[in-house]
Amino acid sequence: MAPGLYTDIGKKTRDLLYRDYCTHQKFTLTTCTPEGVAITAAGTRLNESIFGELQTQLKTKNLTVDIKTNSESDFLTTVTVDGLGTPGLKSILSLVVPDQRSGKLDFQYLHELAGVNASVGLNPNPMVNLSGVFGSKELSVGVDVSFDTATSNFTKYNAALSLTNQDLIASLHLNNHSDTLTASYYHLVKQHSATAVGAELSHSFSRNESTLIFGSQHSLDPHTTVKARFNNYGMASALVQHEWRPKSLITISGEVDTKAIEKSTKVGLSLVLKP
């Protein structure tokens, strides 16, 4: 099987530890027209601020067009073309208005022994990014570099290693110009109940600081999942997510600083409605 893209290394652990946790209120509604156009409206309240977003998506056999606008008057257009005459090859064109320098063209290629992503900015002095993963689904290594043509400097050079077996995934990342080393693991304990545990340990050499976070999840039934996490700074979080109809989810999450319980509790609510 293909090793995937660079962003797939450690993704299982990141999803377990960070996905669906929130300390704000968010409402998302998706509808579909008879012609197959999906329209999604989302609103997020964070403290006293409200952020709105409207997205329209049109899919055909090999073409996907996304048009997204928000309450800050930004327009993001993304065009994705699959295939391009070669199996496993995909191109992605994105542009944000009014920031005309934000245009970017991506190419992704998946092979049974490699996954490559290349992107270049659509401006006179573009940022060029290249990432690749080589190996197999069981063992793979990857690199991720960015080059700024305006300054002729490498702005990013990262590396990663991934080891996968039937129920365990381990990964190692070296990021931030070799300043941060991150090790993570994900263990699927019981497949029928989606019970899993995971952890992530990051160490900054320049600050001589380490961050350790543990997390777990368990499905109470086919439609209800609970998750919890805790880090070495005393921050604890938990959530419960219920799928009350297909693709429609309600998530309630909370976060507390165990060193200051009386004044730090935060509660988030997310409601997703899809046809």
Side-chain angles (χ1 to χ4, degrees), residues 66-269:
D66 279 288
I67 301 175
K68 185 184 298 184
T69 183
N70 58 40
S71 53
E72 296 181 347
S73 300
D74 294 326
F75 286 86
L76 171 63
T77 301
T78 305
V79 180
T80 304
V81 181
D82 286 309
L84 291 176
T86 302
L89 182 61
K90 177 191 293 187
S91 67
I92 304 171
L93 172 66
S94 59
L95 179 66
V96 178
V97 177
D99 185 6
Q100 299 180 357
R101 296 176 57 87
S102 65
K104 186 175 67 170
L105 181 62
D106 286 76
F107 289 97
Q108 295 179 0
Y109 178 65
L110 291 175
H111 184 268
E112 62 180 14
L113 296 177
V116 179
N117 185 92
S119 68
V120 59
L122 302 180
N123 55 69
N125 298 297
M127 184 75 72
V128 180
N129 179 262
L130 178 65
S131 64
V133 178
F134 307 93
S136 64
K137 189 69 174 179
E138 292 74 26
L139 177 63
S140 60
V141 295
V143 293
D144 181 24
V145 297
S146 291
F147 182 76
D148 188 347
T149 60
T151 61
S152 298
N153 290 323
F154 285 96
T155 59
K156 178 175 67 173
Y157 39 89
N158 301 328
L161 171 69
S162 177
L163 177 64
T164 304
N165 64 20
Q166 186 175 359
D167 55 9
L168 179 66
I169 302 174
S171 64
L172 190 67
H173 284 79
L174 186 61
N175 297 327
N176 300 328
H177 301 271
S178 303
D179 180 64
T180 304
L181 183 65
T182 301
S184 66
Y185 88 96
Y186 171 92
H187 182 206
L188 181 61
V189 180
K190 294 182 179 179
Q191 187 169 6
H192 68 276
S193 62
T195 302
V197 296
E200 181 182 82
L201 174 63
S202 296
H203 180 75
S204 171
F205 296 104
S206 61
R207 300 193 307 269
N208 194 28
E209 292 180 354
S210 296
T211 301
L212 177 62
I213 179 170
F214 289 98
S216 64
Q217 71 174 27
H218 175 73
S219 293
L220 301 177
D221 57 53
H223 306 289
T224 307
T225 299
V226 293
K227 296 174 66 175
R229 67 182 184 186
F230 184 80
N231 69 21
N232 60 317
Y233 294 107
M235 299 299 296
S237 304
L239 70 81
V240 56
Q241 184 177 81
H242 180 68
E243 185 181 36
W244 56 279
R245 56 175 293 180
K247 300 181 182 180
S248 294
L249 305 169
I250 181 170
T251 305
I252 301 175
S253 60
E255 180 182 80
V256 61
D257 185 347
T258 59
K259 299 178 181 179
I261 296 178
E262 71 283 353
K263 60 179 181 180
S264 65
T265 303
K266 298 179 181 179
V267 178
L269 173 65

